[in-house]
Amino acid sequence: MSETRAPEQVSLLPPWLFYATLGIILLSPSQLAYVVHKREGPFIGYVDVLAGLVCLLALGIAAWGRRWRLLAYPPLPASALVVVAALSLSQAAQLRTGVVEVGQLALYLLAVYTLFLNTLTDARRVRLAILALFLGTTVVVGWGLAQYLAPSGDSDPLLVRAGFTNRNTYSAYLALMLPLALAAALHTRRLPWRIWCGVLVAAGLLTMLSGPLIWLTVLTLALVALGARGLRRWGALAGLALFVALLFYALPRNYAAAVTELRHPYETEIIHVPVGGAELTVPVLQKRWLEWQPALVMWSRSPILGVGAGNYQGNIGQHYSLGLPNVKKSEPDTNNLYLVTAGSMGFLGLVALLALFGHFWGRARELWSVAEGSLGRALAAGLPVAMLALVLGNLFTAMFVRGLSLIVVLMFVLAAVGERGRGLPRAQRTPPEG
């Protein structure tokens, strides 16, 4: 079934499940987890456990009341990706990690999506969900800002990560959230909201230290600003221009991440055996770029279903054509999601992933046709750009991982139900279609 609902129903689930959903959204921007094994995992996110328990309760309540047939369900691309991931386990050498990966996909794309879709059933609930999301983001950005402003001895860019494991997932989260925050600032008439969201954008952009994502976020914020009118448009663009100017002249750590690392895409501090009394540093391409080659080789050797969901990392070392350059470990979360998906789930997995992104990007782009009120306009202005950030950002870091996936699913649901911002009772609205 796709996103359908009996038109006479406002909500098929009890109200307290909506408040549990708000709790999940509030706590979702975090990678805090119980680690079974430090190197091999699995890593069980605390928020994922909470989400799983709430989803089980919702399913039990729906089954007990024989309402499960009337619930709204994910569209076909979401189910297809989970099915392909399960089928790819036939190629997996490490079955346990594969089962964990498939379980996580099922949790996010099927269970959590269904929960969000069936609890965010009117404009008030959508508004409260966005409020919870912004509150959680404020905590994250405040945490990151404290790390960014720490004494010089603690100024390593890798340490600016808030509740995430590294700078890349932290920056990826902000790449998704800041376009939504700027859209809210530009399309609301309430001054406190405008100030809050504006400060959130400025502080978040300042604390992003993952090079490619900095430029991607500047681009997406500019696109959101261009969608506004009058002084708001030019004020936002002037703010972005000021940030870029400060980036080059007054923010050395940001400059190092956004310019130096990208201009010189080589590993640093690689000192080899002294030659002729001098130490030579031989440039070696960073593994974040080098691993594109073995990922393509992995895909070519198992083109349909890949090497199995969850088995990418265990196979990557076997597919370097010129041998594995063990100079230093790759920085975490710098993989290309599309190549990871192609290598682990093959052509079918890549098609399913692209279909999933395309489906919801299309839904987000339709929001302007039904946008009314500040909430509707903010969603219509911010969600398509946030979806663009998702599509492009996955070239540089996998955004569909623990700590980000719940937010991505929430974006999908907001794109699917965005027309509820018009404020009509659910019984009077045309049900969303898959």
Side-chain angles (χ1 to χ4, degrees):
M1 297 177 65
S2 59
E3 299 156 6
T4 58
R5 179 190 301 281
E8 69 275 4
Q9 297 290 343
V10 174
S11 178
L12 298 171
L13 299 174
W16 65 266
L17 276 174
F18 165 69
Y19 294 104
T21 299
L22 288 183
I24 294 171
I25 295 171
L26 180 65
L27 300 174
S28 57
S30 166
Q31 289 189 302
L32 300 177
Y34 173 74
V35 181
V36 177
H37 189 281
K38 187 175 181 180
R39 293 184 60 184
E40 299 178 2
F43 304 90
I44 304 172
Y46 298 125
V47 182
D48 288 354
V49 173
L50 173 62
L53 291 175
V54 174
C55 289
L56 285 175
L57 285 172
L59 178 62
I61 290 171
W64 181 263
R66 297 182 178 180
R67 296 178 176 179
W68 63 273
R69 292 180 180 273
L70 299 176
L71 293 176
Y73 289 99
L76 180 60
S79 303
L81 184 57
V82 177
V83 170
V84 171
L87 291 175
S88 74
L89 295 184
S90 61
Q91 311 294 314
Q94 299 176 0
L95 190 59
R96 188 189 72 168
T97 57
V99 170
V100 170
E101 180 78 9
V102 174
Q104 288 180 325
L105 284 174
L107 171 65
Y108 300 138
L109 293 178
L110 302 184
V112 173
Y113 184 94
T114 301
L115 175 69
F116 286 177
L117 189 63
N118 288 279
T119 52
L120 304 184
T121 53
D122 56 53
R124 171 183 167 273
R125 291 188 171 193
V126 170
R127 190 174 294 109
L128 288 175
I130 294 174
L131 176 62
L133 180 61
F134 282 5
L135 285 173
T137 304
T138 301
V139 173
V140 167
V141 170
W143 192 349
L145 187 62
Q147 293 173 337
Y148 182 88
L149 297 176
S152 58
D154 298 322
S155 61
D156 185 344
L158 298 178
L159 299 180
V160 181
R161 58 192 182 187
F164 296 86
T165 56
N166 55 70
R167 61 173 174 172
N168 297 303
T169 47
Y170 171 69
S171 295
Y173 175 76
L174 293 181
L176 298 177
M177 278 303 306
L178 296 188
L180 293 175
L182 182 59
L186 295 176
H187 293 276
T188 183
R189 296 178 180 177
R190 297 183 179 182
L191 183 60
W193 264 91
R194 291 167 61 184
I195 295 174
W196 177 18
C197 294
V199 171
L200 195 60
V201 171
L205 194 57
L206 177 67
T207 56
M208 292 181 68
L209 295 177
S210 181
L213 296 178
I214 295 173
W215 294 113
L216 173 62
T217 305
V218 169
L219 170 64
T220 55
L221 292 178
L223 292 176
V224 173
L226 288 171
R229 296 179 179 178
L231 291 177
R232 295 190 184 188
R233 169 194 289 181
W234 300 113
L237 290 175
L240 286 173
L242 176 62
F243 169 77
V244 173
L246 292 174
L247 178 71
F248 281 88
Y249 296 105
L251 301 173
R253 277 182 293 166
N254 302 71
Y255 179 85
V259 180
T260 305
E261 290 184 20
L262 294 182
R263 182 187 297 169
H264 302 288
Y266 299 101
E267 303 288 7
T268 57
E269 299 178 1
I270 307 170
I271 307 300
H272 291 262
V273 178
V275 177
E279 288 184 331
L280 297 182
T281 300
V282 179
V284 177
L285 196 66
Q286 291 180 11
K287 282 190 178 179
R288 72 177 300 161
W289 311 116
L290 202 60
E291 285 192 0
W292 287 33
Q293 177 264 327
L296 290 170
V297 174
M298 188 187 307
W299 183 18
S300 68
R301 293 180 180 176
S302 186
I304 305 302
L305 288 173
V307 297
N311 279 247
Y312 175 86
Q313 205 61 45
N315 282 271
I316 192 69
Q318 305 171 23
H319 294 84
Y320 280 93
S321 298
L322 302 177
L324 177 62
N326 285 317
V327 178
K328 63 187 294 187
K329 287 187 65 177
S330 176
E331 186 179 342
D333 294 297
T334 55
N335 290 323
N336 180 315
L337 177 65
Y338 304 109
L339 293 180
V340 171
T341 302
S344 58
M345 291 186 275
F347 176 76
L348 294 181
L350 182 60
V351 169
L353 179 67
L354 294 176
L356 180 71
F357 289 167
H359 174 85
F360 287 108
W361 194 1
R363 295 299 297 268
R365 292 177 63 187
E366 295 172 357
L367 293 179
W368 273 119
S369 63
V370 293
E372 292 184 8
S374 59
L375 174 61
R377 289 191 297 270
L379 288 176
L383 271 176
V385 180
M387 288 297 303
L388 176 64
L390 175 67
V391 171
L392 296 180
N394 279 306
L395 293 170
F396 311 108
T397 182
M399 291 187 174
F400 208 71
V401 295
R402 174 175 48 85
L404 291 173
S405 296
L406 291 173
I407 300 302
V408 172
V409 170
L410 178 60
M411 285 172 46
F412 290 167
V413 172
L414 290 176
V417 304
E419 78 276 7
R420 294 175 191 171
R422 298 176 70 176
L424 295 177
R426 185 70 184 102
Q428 299 177 24
R429 301 303 307 275
T430 301
E433 299 177 353

